[in-house]
Coordinates of all heavy atoms in Angstrom, one line a residue:
M1066 N -1.3 8.8 27.2 CA -1.5 9.1 25.8 C -1.5 7.7 25.0 O -0.7 6.9 25.2 CB -0.4 10.0 25.2 CG -0.6 10.3 23.8 SD 0.7 11.4 23.2 CE 0.0 11.9 21.7
S1067 N -2.5 7.6 24.2 CA -2.5 6.3 23.4 C -2.2 6.6 21.9 O -2.5 7.7 21.4 CB -3.9 5.6 23.5 OG -4.9 6.4 23.0
G1068 N -1.7 5.7 21.3 CA -1.4 5.8 19.9 C -1.6 4.5 19.2 O -1.8 3.5 19.8
C1069 N -1.5 4.5 17.9 CA -1.8 3.3 17.1 C -0.7 3.2 16.0 O -0.4 4.2 15.3 CB -3.2 3.4 16.6 SG -3.7 1.9 15.7
F1070 N -0.2 2.0 15.9 CA 0.8 1.7 14.8 C 0.2 0.6 14.0 O -0.2 -0.4 14.6 CB 2.1 1.3 15.3 CG 3.0 0.7 14.3 CD1 3.7 1.5 13.4 CD2 3.2 -0.7 14.2 CE1 4.5 1.0 12.4 CE2 4.0 -1.2 13.2 CZ 4.7 -0.4 12.3
M1071 N 0.1 0.7 12.7 CA -0.5 -0.4 11.9 C 0.4 -0.6 10.7 O 1.0 0.4 10.1 CB -1.9 0.0 11.4 CG -2.9 0.1 12.5 SD -4.5 0.6 12.0 CE -5.1 -1.0 11.4
G1072 N 0.6 -1.8 10.3 CA 1.3 -2.2 9.1 C 0.4 -3.0 8.2 O -0.5 -3.7 8.6
F1073 N 0.7 -2.9 6.9 CA -0.1 -3.5 5.9 C 0.8 -4.1 4.8 O 1.8 -3.5 4.5 CB -1.1 -2.6 5.2 CG -2.0 -1.9 6.1 CD1 -1.7 -0.6 6.6 CD2 -3.2 -2.5 6.5 CE1 -2.6 0.0 7.5 CE2 -4.1 -1.8 7.4 CZ -3.8 -0.5 7.9
C1074 N 0.4 -5.2 4.2 CA 1.0 -5.8 3.0 C -0.1 -5.8 2.0 O -1.1 -6.6 2.1 CB 1.6 -7.1 3.3 SG 2.3 -7.8 1.8
L1075 N 0.0 -5.0 0.9 CA -0.9 -5.0 -0.1 C -0.5 -6.0 -1.2 O 0.7 -5.9 -1.7 CB -1.1 -3.6 -0.7 CG -1.3 -2.5 0.2 CD1 -1.4 -1.2 -0.6 CD2 -2.6 -2.7 1.0
R1076 N -1.3 -6.9 -1.6 CA -1.1 -7.8 -2.7 C -1.9 -7.3 -3.9 O -3.1 -7.3 -3.8 CB -1.4 -9.2 -2.4 CG -0.4 -9.8 -1.4 CD -0.7 -11.2 -1.0 NE 0.3 -11.9 -0.3 CZ 0.9 -11.6 0.8 NH1 0.5 -10.5 1.4 NH2 1.8 -12.4 1.4
L1077 N -1.2 -6.9 -5.0 CA -1.9 -6.2 -6.1 C -1.6 -7.0 -7.4 O -0.6 -7.5 -7.6 CB -1.4 -4.8 -6.2 CG -1.4 -4.0 -4.9 CD1 -0.7 -2.7 -5.1 CD2 -2.8 -3.7 -4.5
Q1078 N -2.6 -6.9 -8.3 CA -2.4 -7.4 -9.6 C -2.7 -6.3 -10.6 O -3.6 -5.5 -10.5 CB -3.4 -8.6 -9.9 CG -3.1 -9.3 -11.2 CD -3.8 -10.6 -11.3 OE1 -4.9 -10.8 -10.7 NE2 -3.3 -11.5 -12.1
F1079 N -1.9 -6.3 -11.6 CA -2.0 -5.3 -12.7 C -2.2 -6.0 -14.0 O -1.2 -6.3 -14.7 CB -0.7 -4.4 -12.8 CG -0.4 -3.7 -11.5 CD1 0.4 -4.2 -10.6 CD2 -1.1 -2.5 -11.2 CE1 0.7 -3.5 -9.4 CE2 -0.8 -1.8 -10.0 CZ 0.1 -2.3 -9.1
P1080 N -3.4 -6.4 -14.4 CA -3.7 -7.2 -15.5 C -3.2 -6.6 -16.9 O -2.9 -7.3 -17.8 CB -5.2 -7.4 -15.6 CG -5.7 -6.7 -14.4 CD -4.6 -6.0 -13.7
E1081 N -3.1 -5.3 -16.9 CA -2.7 -4.7 -18.2 C -1.2 -4.5 -18.4 O -0.8 -4.0 -19.4 CB -3.4 -3.3 -18.4 CG -4.9 -3.5 -18.5 CD -5.7 -2.2 -18.8 OE1 -5.0 -1.1 -18.9 OE2 -6.9 -2.2 -18.9
C1082 N -0.5 -4.8 -17.3 CA 1.0 -4.6 -17.4 C 1.6 -5.7 -18.3 O 1.3 -6.9 -18.1 CB 1.7 -4.7 -16.0 SG 1.4 -3.2 -15.1
S1083 N 2.4 -5.3 -19.3 CA 3.0 -6.3 -20.1 C 4.6 -6.3 -20.0 O 5.2 -7.2 -20.6 CB 2.7 -6.0 -21.6 OG 3.1 -4.7 -21.9
T1084 N 5.1 -5.4 -19.2 CA 6.6 -5.4 -19.0 C 6.8 -5.1 -17.5 O 6.0 -4.5 -16.8 CB 7.2 -4.3 -19.8 OG1 6.8 -3.0 -19.3 CG2 7.0 -4.4 -21.3
L1085 N 8.0 -5.5 -17.1 CA 8.4 -5.2 -15.7 C 8.5 -3.7 -15.5 O 8.2 -3.2 -14.4 CB 9.8 -5.9 -15.4 CG 9.7 -7.4 -15.2 CD1 11.1 -7.9 -15.1 CD2 8.8 -7.8 -14.1
K1086 N 9.0 -3.0 -16.5 CA 9.1 -1.5 -16.4 C 7.7 -0.9 -16.1 O 7.6 0.0 -15.3 CB 9.7 -1.0 -17.6 CG 10.0 0.5 -17.6 CD 10.7 1.0 -18.8 CE 10.9 2.5 -18.8 NZ 11.6 3.0 -20.0
D1087 N 6.7 -1.3 -16.8 CA 5.4 -0.8 -16.6 C 4.9 -1.1 -15.2 O 4.3 -0.2 -14.5 CB 4.4 -1.5 -17.6 CG 3.0 -0.8 -17.6 OD1 2.9 0.3 -17.2 OD2 2.1 -1.6 -18.1
R1088 N 5.1 -2.3 -14.7 CA 4.7 -2.7 -13.3 C 5.4 -1.8 -12.3 O 4.8 -1.3 -11.4 CB 4.9 -4.1 -13.1 CG 4.3 -4.5 -11.7 CD 5.0 -5.5 -10.9 NE 6.4 -5.3 -10.9 CZ 7.2 -6.0 -10.2 NH1 6.8 -6.8 -9.3 NH2 8.5 -5.9 -10.3
R1089 N 6.7 -1.7 -12.5 CA 7.5 -0.9 -11.5 C 7.0 0.5 -11.5 O 7.0 1.1 -10.4 CB 9.0 -1.0 -11.9 CG 9.7 -2.2 -11.4 CD 11.2 -2.1 -11.4 NE 11.7 -1.8 -12.8 CZ 12.0 -2.6 -13.7 NH1 12.0 -3.9 -13.5 NH2 12.5 -2.2 -14.9
S1090 N 6.7 1.1 -12.6 CA 6.2 2.4 -12.7 C 4.9 2.6 -11.9 O 4.8 3.6 -11.1 CB 6.0 2.8 -14.2 OG 5.3 4.1 -14.2
R1091 N 4.0 1.7 -12.0 CA 2.7 1.8 -11.3 C 3.0 1.6 -9.8 O 2.4 2.3 -9.0 CB 1.8 0.7 -11.8 CG 1.3 1.0 -13.2 CD 0.4 0.0 -13.7 NE 0.1 0.1 -15.1 CZ -1.0 -0.1 -15.7 NH1 -2.0 -0.6 -15.0 NH2 -1.1 0.0 -17.0
V1092 N 3.8 0.7 -9.4 CA 4.1 0.4 -8.0 C 4.8 1.7 -7.4 O 4.5 2.1 -6.3 CB 4.9 -0.9 -7.8 CG1 5.4 -1.0 -6.4 CG2 4.1 -2.1 -8.2
E1093 N 5.8 2.2 -8.1 CA 6.5 3.4 -7.6 C 5.5 4.5 -7.4 O 5.6 5.3 -6.5 CB 7.6 3.8 -8.6 CG 8.8 3.0 -8.6 CD 9.8 3.3 -9.7 OE1 9.6 4.4 -10.3 OE2 10.8 2.6 -9.8
S1094 N 4.5 4.7 -8.2 CA 3.5 5.7 -8.1 C 2.7 5.5 -6.8 O 2.4 6.4 -6.0 CB 2.5 5.7 -9.3 OG 1.5 6.6 -9.1
I1095 N 2.3 4.2 -6.5 CA 1.6 3.9 -5.3 C 2.5 4.2 -4.0 O 2.0 4.8 -3.1 CB 1.1 2.4 -5.3 CG1 0.1 2.2 -6.4 CG2 0.6 2.0 -3.9 CD1 -0.2 0.7 -6.6
V1096 N 3.7 3.8 -4.1 CA 4.6 4.0 -3.0 C 4.8 5.5 -2.7 O 4.7 6.0 -1.6 CB 6.0 3.3 -3.2 CG1 7.0 3.8 -2.2 CG2 5.8 1.8 -3.1
H1097 N 5.0 6.3 -3.8 CA 5.2 7.7 -3.7 C 4.0 8.4 -3.1 O 4.1 9.3 -2.2 CB 5.5 8.3 -5.1 CG 5.7 9.8 -5.2 ND1 6.8 10.4 -4.8 CD2 4.8 10.7 -5.5 CE1 6.7 11.7 -4.9 NE2 5.5 11.9 -5.3
T1098 N 2.8 8.0 -3.6 CA 1.6 8.6 -3.1 C 1.4 8.3 -1.6 O 1.0 9.2 -0.8 CB 0.3 8.1 -3.9 OG1 0.5 8.5 -5.2 CG2 -1.0 8.6 -3.3
A1099 N 1.6 7.1 -1.2 CA 1.5 6.6 0.2 C 2.4 7.5 1.1 O 2.0 7.9 2.2 CB 1.7 5.1 0.3
K1100 N 3.6 7.6 0.6 CA 4.6 8.4 1.5 C 4.3 9.9 1.5 O 4.3 10.5 2.6 CB 6.0 8.2 0.9 CG 6.6 6.8 1.1 CD 8.0 6.8 0.5 CE 8.8 5.5 0.8 NZ 10.1 5.5 0.2
N1101 N 4.2 10.5 0.4 CA 4.2 11.9 0.3 C 2.8 12.6 0.5 O 2.8 13.7 1.0 CB 4.7 12.4 -1.1 CG 6.2 12.0 -1.2 OD1 6.9 12.0 -0.3 ND2 6.6 11.8 -2.4
R1102 N 1.8 11.8 0.3 CA 0.5 12.5 0.5 C -0.3 11.9 1.7 O -1.2 12.6 2.2 CB -0.4 12.2 -0.8 CG 0.0 12.9 -2.0 CD -0.9 12.8 -3.1 NE -0.4 13.5 -4.3 CZ -0.9 13.3 -5.5 NH1 -1.8 12.4 -5.7 NH2 -0.4 13.9 -6.5
H1103 N 0.1 10.7 2.2 CA -0.7 10.1 3.2 C 0.1 9.7 4.4 O -0.4 9.0 5.3 CB -1.5 9.0 2.7 CG -2.4 9.4 1.5 ND1 -3.5 10.2 1.7 CD2 -2.4 9.2 0.2 CE1 -4.1 10.5 0.6 NE2 -3.4 9.9 -0.4
G1104 N 1.4 10.0 4.5 CA 2.2 9.8 5.7 C 2.5 8.4 6.0 O 2.8 8.1 7.2
F1105 N 2.5 7.5 5.1 CA 3.0 6.1 5.3 C 4.5 6.0 5.1 O 5.1 6.7 4.3 CB 2.3 5.2 4.4 CG 0.8 4.8 4.7 CD1 -0.2 5.6 4.2 CD2 0.6 3.8 5.6 CE1 -1.5 5.2 4.6 CE2 -0.7 3.5 5.9 CZ -1.8 4.2 5.4
S1106 N 5.1 5.0 5.7 CA 6.3 4.5 5.3 C 5.9 3.4 4.3 O 5.0 2.6 4.6 CB 7.1 3.9 6.5 OG 7.5 4.9 7.3
A1107 N 6.6 3.3 3.2 CA 6.1 2.4 2.1 C 7.3 1.9 1.3 O 8.3 2.6 1.1 CB 5.2 3.1 1.2
A1108 N 7.2 0.6 0.8 CA 8.2 0.0 0.0 C 7.7 -1.0 -0.9 O 6.7 -1.7 -0.5 CB 9.3 -0.6 0.9
D1109 N 8.3 -1.2 -2.0 CA 7.9 -2.3 -3.0 C 8.7 -3.5 -2.5 O 9.9 -3.5 -2.4 CB 8.4 -1.9 -4.4 CG 8.1 -3.0 -5.4 OD1 7.6 -4.0 -5.0 OD2 8.4 -2.7 -6.6
I1110 N 7.9 -4.5 -2.1 CA 8.5 -5.8 -1.6 C 8.2 -6.9 -2.5 O 8.2 -8.1 -2.1 CB 8.1 -6.0 -0.1 CG1 6.6 -6.1 0.0 CG2 8.6 -5.0 0.8 CD1 6.0 -6.5 1.4
S1111 N 8.0 -6.6 -3.8 CA 7.6 -7.6 -4.8 C 8.7 -8.5 -5.2 O 9.9 -8.2 -5.1 CB 7.1 -6.9 -6.0 OG 6.1 -6.0 -5.7
D1112 N 8.3 -9.7 -5.8 CA 9.3 -10.5 -6.5 C 9.6 -9.7 -7.8 O 8.7 -9.4 -8.5 CB 8.6 -11.8 -6.8 CG 9.4 -12.8 -7.7 OD1 10.4 -12.3 -8.3 OD2 9.1 -14.0 -7.7
P1113 N 10.8 -9.4 -8.0 CA 11.2 -8.5 -9.1 C 10.9 -9.1 -10.5 O 11.0 -8.4 -11.5 CB 12.7 -8.3 -8.9 CG 13.2 -9.4 -8.1 CD 12.0 -9.8 -7.3
L1114 N 10.5 -10.4 -10.6 CA 10.4 -11.0 -11.9 C 8.9 -11.2 -12.3 O 8.6 -11.7 -13.4 CB 11.1 -12.3 -12.0 CG 12.6 -12.2 -11.8 CD1 13.3 -13.5 -11.9 CD2 13.2 -11.2 -12.9
K1115 N 8.0 -10.9 -11.5 CA 6.6 -11.1 -11.8 C 6.0 -9.8 -12.5 O 6.1 -8.7 -11.9 CB 5.7 -11.4 -10.5 CG 6.1 -12.7 -10.0 CD 5.2 -13.1 -8.9 CE 5.5 -14.5 -8.4 NZ 4.7 -15.0 -7.3
I1116 N 5.5 -9.9 -13.7 CA 5.1 -8.8 -14.5 C 3.8 -8.2 -14.0 O 3.7 -6.9 -14.0 CB 5.0 -9.2 -16.0 CG1 6.4 -9.5 -16.5 CG2 4.4 -8.1 -16.8 CD1 6.5 -10.0 -17.9
D1117 N 2.8 -9.0 -13.6 CA 1.5 -8.4 -13.3 C 1.1 -8.5 -11.9 O 0.0 -8.2 -11.5 CB 0.4 -9.1 -14.2 CG 0.2 -10.5 -13.8 OD1 1.1 -11.1 -13.1 OD2 -0.8 -11.1 -14.2
Y1118 N 2.1 -8.8 -11.0 CA 1.8 -8.9 -9.5 C 2.8 -8.1 -8.7 O 4.0 -8.1 -9.1 CB 1.9 -10.4 -9.2 CG 1.8 -10.7 -7.7 CD1 0.5 -10.8 -7.1 CD2 2.9 -10.9 -6.9 CE1 0.3 -11.1 -5.8 CE2 2.7 -11.2 -5.6 CZ 1.5 -11.2 -5.0 OH 1.3 -11.5 -3.7
A1119 N 2.3 -7.5 -7.7 CA 3.2 -6.7 -6.8 C 2.7 -6.8 -5.4 O 1.6 -7.0 -5.1 CB 3.2 -5.3 -7.2
E1120 N 3.7 -6.6 -4.5 CA 3.4 -6.5 -3.0 C 4.0 -5.2 -2.6 O 5.1 -4.9 -2.9 CB 4.0 -7.7 -2.2 CG 3.3 -9.0 -2.6 CD 3.9 -10.1 -1.7 OE1 4.8 -9.9 -0.9 OE2 3.3 -11.2 -1.9
V1121 N 3.2 -4.4 -1.8 CA 3.7 -3.2 -1.3 C 3.5 -3.2 0.3 O 2.4 -3.5 0.7 CB 2.9 -2.0 -1.8 CG1 3.3 -0.7 -1.2 CG2 3.0 -1.9 -3.4
G1122 N 4.6 -2.9 1.0 CA 4.5 -2.8 2.4 C 4.3 -1.4 2.9 O 4.9 -0.5 2.4
L1123 N 3.3 -1.2 3.8 CA 3.0 0.1 4.3 C 3.0 0.1 5.8 O 2.6 -0.9 6.4 CB 1.6 0.6 3.8 CG 1.3 0.7 2.4 CD1 -0.1 0.9 2.1 CD2 2.2 1.8 1.7
A1124 N 3.4 1.2 6.5 CA 3.3 1.3 7.9 C 3.0 2.7 8.2 O 3.4 3.7 7.6 CB 4.6 0.9 8.6
A1125 N 2.2 2.9 9.3 CA 1.8 4.3 9.7 C 1.5 4.3 11.2 O 1.1 3.4 11.8 CB 0.5 4.7 8.9
V1126 N 1.7 5.5 11.7 CA 1.4 5.8 13.1 C 0.3 6.9 13.1 O 0.3 7.8 12.3 CB 2.6 6.4 13.9 CG1 2.2 6.9 15.3 CG2 3.7 5.4 13.9
G1127 N -0.7 6.7 13.9 CA -1.8 7.6 14.0 C -2.5 7.6 15.3 O -2.1 6.9 16.3
K1128 N -3.5 8.5 15.4 CA -4.3 8.6 16.7 C -5.1 7.3 17.0 O -5.2 6.9 18.1 CB -5.2 9.8 16.7 CG -4.5 11.1 16.6 CD -5.5 12.2 16.6 CE -4.7 13.5 16.4 NZ -5.6 14.7 16.3
N1129 N -5.7 6.7 15.9 CA -6.5 5.5 16.1 C -6.5 4.7 14.8 O -6.1 5.2 13.7 CB -7.9 5.9 16.6 CG -8.6 6.9 15.6 OD1 -8.6 6.7 14.4 ND2 -9.1 8.0 16.2
E1130 N -7.2 3.6 14.8 CA -7.2 2.7 13.7 C -8.0 3.3 12.5 O -7.7 3.2 11.4 CB -7.9 1.4 14.0 CG -7.1 0.5 14.9 CD -7.9 -0.8 15.3 OE1 -8.7 -1.2 14.5 OE2 -7.7 -1.3 16.4
N1131 N -9.1 4.0 12.9 CA -10.0 4.6 11.8 C -9.2 5.6 11.0 O -9.4 5.7 9.8 CB -11.2 5.2 12.4 CG -12.2 4.2 13.0 OD1 -12.2 3.0 12.5 ND2 -13.0 4.5 13.9
E1132 N -8.4 6.4 11.6 CA -7.6 7.4 10.9 C -6.7 6.8 10.0 O -6.6 7.1 8.8 CB -6.8 8.3 11.9 CG -5.9 9.3 11.2 CD -4.7 9.8 12.1 OE1 -4.8 9.5 13.3 OE2 -3.8 10.3 11.5
I1133 N -5.9 5.7 10.4 CA -5.0 5.1 9.5 C -5.7 4.3 8.4 O -5.3 4.4 7.3 CB -4.1 4.1 10.4 CG1 -3.3 4.9 11.4 CG2 -3.2 3.3 9.5 CD1 -2.5 4.1 12.4
R1134 N -6.8 3.7 8.7 CA -7.5 2.9 7.7 C -8.1 3.9 6.6 O -8.1 3.6 5.4 CB -8.6 2.1 8.3 CG -8.1 0.9 8.9 CD -9.2 -0.1 9.2 NE -8.6 -1.3 9.7 CZ -8.8 -1.7 11.0 NH1 -9.5 -1.0 11.8 NH2 -8.2 -2.8 11.4
G1135 N -8.5 5.1 7.1 CA -9.0 6.1 6.1 C -7.9 6.5 5.2 O -8.1 6.7 4.0
R1136 N -6.7 6.7 5.7 CA -5.5 7.0 4.9 C -5.2 5.9 3.9 O -4.9 6.2 2.7 CB -4.3 7.4 5.8 CG -4.5 8.7 6.5 CD -3.6 8.9 7.7 NE -2.2 8.5 7.5 CZ -1.4 8.3 8.6 NH1 -1.8 8.6 9.8 NH2 -0.1 8.0 8.4
L1137 N -5.3 4.7 4.4 CA -5.1 3.5 3.5 C -6.1 3.5 2.4 O -5.8 3.3 1.2 CB -5.1 2.2 4.2 CG -5.1 0.9 3.4 CD1 -3.7 0.8 2.7 CD2 -5.3 -0.3 4.3
D1138 N -7.4 3.8 2.7 CA -8.4 3.8 1.7 C -8.1 4.9 0.6 O -8.4 4.7 -0.6 CB -9.8 4.1 2.3 CG -10.3 2.9 3.1 OD1 -9.8 1.8 2.9 OD2 -11.2 3.2 3.9
R1139 N -7.6 6.0 1.0 CA -7.3 7.1 0.1 C -6.1 6.7 -0.8 O -6.1 7.0 -2.0 CB -7.0 8.4 0.8 CG -8.2 9.0 1.4 CD -8.1 10.4 2.0 NE -7.2 10.5 3.1 CZ -7.5 10.3 4.4 NH1 -8.8 9.9 4.7 NH2 -6.7 10.4 5.4
V1140 N -5.1 6.0 -0.3 CA -4.0 5.4 -1.1 C -4.6 4.5 -2.2 O -4.2 4.6 -3.3 CB -3.0 4.7 -0.2 CG1 -2.0 4.0 -1.1 CG2 -2.2 5.7 0.7
L1141 N -5.4 3.6 -1.7 CA -6.0 2.6 -2.7 C -6.9 3.3 -3.7 O -6.8 2.9 -4.9 CB -6.8 1.5 -1.9 CG -5.9 0.6 -1.1 CD1 -6.8 -0.3 -0.2 CD2 -5.0 -0.2 -1.9
A1142 N -7.6 4.3 -3.3 CA -8.5 5.0 -4.3 C -7.6 5.7 -5.3 O -7.9 5.7 -6.5 CB -9.4 6.0 -3.6
A1143 N -6.5 6.4 -4.9 CA -5.6 7.1 -5.8 C -5.0 6.1 -6.8 O -4.9 6.3 -8.0 CB -4.6 7.8 -5.1
A1144 N -4.6 4.9 -6.3 CA -4.0 3.9 -7.1 C -5.0 3.3 -8.1 O -4.6 3.1 -9.3 CB -3.4 2.7 -6.3
D1145 N -6.2 3.2 -7.7 CA -7.2 2.7 -8.6 C -7.5 3.7 -9.7 O -7.7 3.3 -10.9 CB -8.5 2.4 -7.8 CG -9.5 1.6 -8.6 OD1 -9.1 0.6 -9.3 OD2 -10.7 1.9 -8.6
R1146 N -7.5 5.0 -9.4 CA -7.8 6.0 -10.4 C -6.6 6.1 -11.4 O -6.9 6.5 -12.6 CB -8.0 7.4 -9.7 CG -9.3 7.6 -9.1 CD -9.5 9.0 -8.7 NE -8.5 9.5 -7.8 CZ -8.5 9.4 -6.4 NH1 -9.5 8.8 -5.9 NH2 -7.6 9.9 -5.7
A1147 N -5.4 5.7 -11.0 CA -4.3 5.9 -11.8 C -4.2 4.8 -12.9 O -3.5 5.0 -13.9 CB -3.0 5.8 -11.0
G1148 N -4.9 3.7 -12.7 CA -4.8 2.6 -13.8 C -5.4 1.4 -13.3 O -5.8 1.2 -12.2
E1149 N -5.5 0.4 -14.2 CA -6.2 -0.9 -13.9 C -5.4 -1.6 -12.9 O -4.2 -1.9 -13.0 CB -6.2 -1.7 -15.2 CG -6.9 -3.0 -15.1 CD -8.4 -2.9 -14.9 OE1 -9.0 -1.9 -15.3 OE2 -8.9 -3.8 -14.2
M1150 N -6.1 -1.9 -11.8 CA -5.4 -2.6 -10.6 C -6.5 -3.4 -9.9 O -7.6 -3.0 -9.8 CB -4.8 -1.6 -9.7 CG -4.2 -2.2 -8.4 SD -3.8 -0.9 -7.2 CE -5.4 -0.5 -6.6
T1151 N -6.1 -4.6 -9.5 CA -7.0 -5.4 -8.6 C -6.3 -5.7 -7.3 O -5.1 -6.1 -7.3 CB -7.2 -6.8 -9.3 OG1 -7.8 -6.5 -10.6 CG2 -8.2 -7.6 -8.5
V1152 N -7.0 -5.4 -6.2 CA -6.4 -5.7 -4.9 C -6.8 -7.1 -4.6 O -8.0 -7.5 -4.5 CB -7.1 -4.7 -3.8 CG1 -6.5 -5.1 -2.4 CG2 -6.7 -3.3 -4.1
L1153 N -5.7 -8.0 -4.5 CA -5.9 -9.4 -4.2 C -6.1 -9.6 -2.7 O -6.9 -10.5 -2.3 CB -4.8 -10.2 -4.8 CG -4.5 -10.1 -6.3 CD1 -3.3 -10.8 -6.6 CD2 -5.7 -10.6 -7.0
A1154 N -5.4 -8.9 -1.9 CA -5.4 -9.1 -0.5 C -4.8 -7.9 0.2 O -3.9 -7.3 -0.3 CB -4.7 -10.4 0.0
I1155 N -5.2 -7.7 1.5 CA -4.6 -6.7 2.4 C -4.4 -7.4 3.7 O -5.3 -7.8 4.4 CB -5.5 -5.5 2.6 CG1 -5.7 -4.8 1.2 CG2 -4.8 -4.5 3.5 CD1 -6.7 -3.6 1.3
E1156 N -3.1 -7.7 4.0 CA -2.7 -8.2 5.3 C -2.5 -7.1 6.3 O -1.9 -6.1 5.9 CB -1.5 -9.1 5.2 CG -1.8 -10.4 4.5 CD -0.5 -11.3 4.5 OE1 0.1 -11.4 5.6 OE2 -0.2 -11.9 3.5
E1157 N -3.0 -7.3 7.5 CA -2.9 -6.2 8.4 C -2.2 -6.6 9.7 O -2.4 -7.7 10.2 CB -4.3 -5.7 8.8 CG -4.4 -4.6 9.7 CD -5.8 -4.2 10.0 OE1 -6.6 -4.2 9.0 OE2 -6.2 -3.9 11.2
L1158 N -1.3 -5.7 10.2 CA -0.7 -5.9 11.5 C -1.0 -4.7 12.3 O -0.8 -3.5 11.9 CB 0.8 -6.0 11.3 CG 1.7 -6.0 12.6 CD1 1.4 -7.2 13.5 CD2 3.1 -5.9 12.2
E1159 N -1.5 -4.8 13.6 CA -1.8 -3.7 14.4 C -1.1 -3.8 15.7 O -1.0 -4.9 16.3 CB -3.3 -3.7 14.7 CG -3.8 -2.7 15.6 CD -5.2 -2.9 16.1 OE1 -5.9 -3.6 15.4 OE2 -5.5 -2.4 17.2
M1160 N -0.6 -2.7 16.2 CA 0.0 -2.7 17.5 C -0.5 -1.4 18.2 O -0.3 -0.3 17.6 CB 1.5 -2.6 17.4 CG 2.1 -3.9 16.8 SD 3.9 -3.8 16.5 CE 4.5 -3.5 18.1
T1161 N -1.0 -1.5 19.4 CA -1.5 -0.3 20.1 C -0.8 -0.2 21.4 O -0.6 -1.2 22.1 CB -3.0 -0.4 20.3 OG1 -3.7 -0.6 19.1 CG2 -3.6 0.9 21.0
E1162 N -0.4 1.0 21.8 CA 0.2 1.2 23.1 C -0.5 2.2 23.9 O -0.8 3.3 23.4 CB 1.7 1.7 22.8 CG 2.4 1.9 24.1 CD 3.9 2.3 23.8 OE1 4.4 2.0 22.8 OE2 4.4 3.0 24.7
D1163 N -0.9 1.9 25.1 CA -1.6 2.8 26.0 C -0.6 3.1 27.1 O 0.0 2.3 27.7 CB -2.8 2.2 26.6 CG -3.9 2.0 25.5 OD1 -4.1 2.9 24.7 OD2 -4.6 0.9 25.5
R1164 N -0.5 4.4 27.4 CA 0.4 4.8 28.5 C -0.3 5.8 29.4 O -1.1 6.5 29.1 CB 1.6 5.5 28.0 CG 2.5 4.6 27.3 CD 3.8 5.3 26.9 NE 4.6 4.3 26.1 CZ 5.9 4.4 26.0 NH1 6.5 5.4 26.5 NH2 6.6 3.6 25.3

């Protein structure tokens, strides 16, 4: 049986955020959506003092890369619909195990 584990670090910018509370609220929404709707393990790994910048760590297990990337695309689409956000970078870590 083969499986796929992938990890991501999302680097995000929120140009309209003017307070840390506003940024935290938006990031918490992304983390909540990733966990509860799309099956990711997720955490805010941001520098707590940057008002308009955030990093979110995500990890998922799935049947293949396409399935996991599709779930990631849905997380990003939901975050984009929720408010002004720019994806600055997505770092990816992939580990596949064949048995």
Side-chain angles (χ1 to χ4, degrees):
M1066 179 178 196
S1067 66
C1069 185
F1070 169 77
M1071 297 178 77
F1073 303 94
C1074 179
L1075 308 179
R1076 288 180 167 59
L1077 309 170
Q1078 186 169 28
F1079 301 96
E1081 293 184 3
C1082 286
S1083 58
T1084 66
L1085 289 173
K1086 183 177 179 179
D1087 188 25
R1088 188 222 31 176
R1089 279 193 305 269
S1090 171
R1091 292 179 191 213
V1092 172
E1093 285 175 9
S1094 176
I1095 293 168
V1096 168
H1097 178 77
T1098 298
K1100 286 180 174 182
N1101 294 329
R1102 293 189 183 161
H1103 302 291
F1105 281 93
S1106 292
D1109 180 357
I1110 55 174
S1111 305
D1112 177 341
L1114 299 178
K1115 292 188 177 180
I1116 293 174
D1117 67 344
Y1118 175 81
E1120 293 182 358
V1121 176
L1123 302 172
V1126 175
K1128 293 179 184 177
N1129 56 50
E1130 291 178 30
N1131 290 335
E1132 175 200 348
I1133 296 171
R1134 284 197 176 108
R1136 289 164 39 199
L1137 175 64
D1138 289 343
R1139 290 189 293 276
V1140 169
L1141 292 172
D1145 193 43
R1146 283 191 302 274
E1149 183 69 28
M1150 176 189 76
T1151 303
V1152 177
L1153 301 175
I1155 301 173
E1156 289 185 42
E1157 181 179 320
L1158 170 65
E1159 175 194 341
M1160 296 173 61
T1161 304
E1162 182 178 331
D1163 293 319
R1164 291 186 183 200

